[in-house]
Amino acid sequence: MTKTILITGAEGFISRYVGRYFSELGCSGIGIDSSEPENAPLASLANYYKLRN
């Protein structure tokens, strides 16, 4: 069973490394942030959701 983690502020400096770390451990990451998906670290996330401003 794969664990899923939620990363808020997924496009932030620390969040990028947190997402990559858990991805290397085999976890599935879901990221949320207020920026466009083009800037998100999509390689280490299973899903990304943009929050509305």
Side-chain angles (χ1 to χ4, degrees):
M1 183 166 112
T2 303
K3 293 189 178 194
T4 303
I5 60 166
L6 175 65
I7 302 172
T8 60
E11 295 184 32
F13 179 76
I14 294 173
S15 298
R16 288 177 182 268
Y17 289 99
V18 169
R20 187 179 305 154
Y21 173 77
F22 281 107
S23 175
E24 291 172 358
L25 291 178
C27 296
S28 177
I30 298 173
I32 59 172
D33 206 324
S34 60
S35 299
E36 297 299 325
E38 295 84 33
N39 300 324
L42 299 177
S44 59
L45 297 174
N47 292 319
Y48 175 79
Y49 298 98
K50 179 184 182 295
L51 298 173
R52 287 192 271 174
N53 295 359

